[in-house]
Amino acid sequence: MPHLVGPRLARVWLRCRIRDIQHHWSRNPRSCGPAIVLSYAVSGLSALLSVFCYTEFAVEIPIAGGSFSFLRVELGDFIAFIAAGNIFLEALVGAAGLGRSWSSYVASIFKSDPDFLRIKVDSFAEGVQSVDPLAVVVLAIVNGIALMGTKHSSILNWVSSMFGVAVIVLLS
């Protein structure tokens, strides 16, 4: 099981790390050094190891499916249940990152402050005082598209990638 949990955690770490690097670099462009290149190299190595794990599983178990199917066949239902929880958590973290990043991109188009579209609520606890209504709308739309099927999700991934690239090019 560690060889399946590791790549998932690496992907979540990669998403968080890229977001952290983008945030830090946008505020202090001269303070980022070779750690960025090293971070991408480590993330690429992790993705390569993940590919090797899934390739090995696909050769050993010739059934269609992802980590849940492979774990269910190899290690049983309980481990597959834990993996399903891990997959669900990964989807939640990824969706939250998507909503916040799209909201920041849109805010950066109108004003240089990425928190421009967030609403501050003083009655909330310290550290969680901003509400991001655009992120909620984005998540509702994205989840609705994801429920329609894989083809629509694939198109959404392509559109979101192009949107991110366009914003980065426009702001550079």
Side-chain angles (χ1 to χ4, degrees):
M1 186 167 117
H3 57 286
L4 285 176
V5 174
R8 289 202 181 282
L9 291 177
R11 283 194 299 264
V12 170
W13 175 83
L14 173 63
R15 287 182 189 137
C16 295
R17 186 68 189 134
I18 289 173
R19 191 73 190 125
D20 182 42
I21 290 169
Q22 289 171 343
H23 177 73
H24 181 72
W25 184 75
S26 66
R27 294 179 190 253
N28 306 314
R30 297 188 187 267
S31 67
C32 294
I36 292 176
V37 176
L38 184 62
S39 176
Y40 278 100
V42 168
S43 300
L45 177 66
S46 172
L48 179 68
L49 294 176
S50 177
V51 167
F52 289 152
C53 289
Y54 281 108
T55 303
E56 181 182 350
F57 268 135
V59 169
E60 287 183 15
I61 307 166
I63 58 172
S67 60
F68 176 79
S69 300
F70 293 140
L71 279 174
R72 187 165 180 262
V73 170
E74 285 286 322
L75 301 173
D77 290 338
F78 181 70
I79 301 297
F81 175 75
I82 293 172
N86 189 15
I87 293 168
F88 184 66
L89 180 63
E90 179 188 3
L92 287 176
V93 171
L98 175 83
R100 289 297 296 252
S101 64
W102 275 26
S103 176
S104 295
Y105 284 150
V106 171
S108 297
I109 289 172
F110 297 117
K111 201 173 178 182
S112 63
D113 181 21
D115 294 334
F116 171 64
L117 296 175
R118 295 190 181 114
I119 301 169
K120 185 174 182 183
V121 181
D122 292 327
S123 62
F124 286 176
E126 186 68 33
V128 289
Q129 293 179 333
S130 64
V131 177
D132 197 345
L134 183 60
V136 172
V137 170
V138 166
L139 290 177
I141 292 169
V142 168
N143 287 327
I145 292 171
L147 288 173
M148 290 182 195
T150 345
K151 183 177 182 181
H152 291 91
S153 296
S154 170
I155 293 169
L156 176 68
N157 283 337
W158 183 83
V159 169
S160 67
S161 297
M162 291 301 113
F163 179 74
V165 168
V167 169
I168 290 170
V169 167
L170 288 173
L171 295 179
S172 302

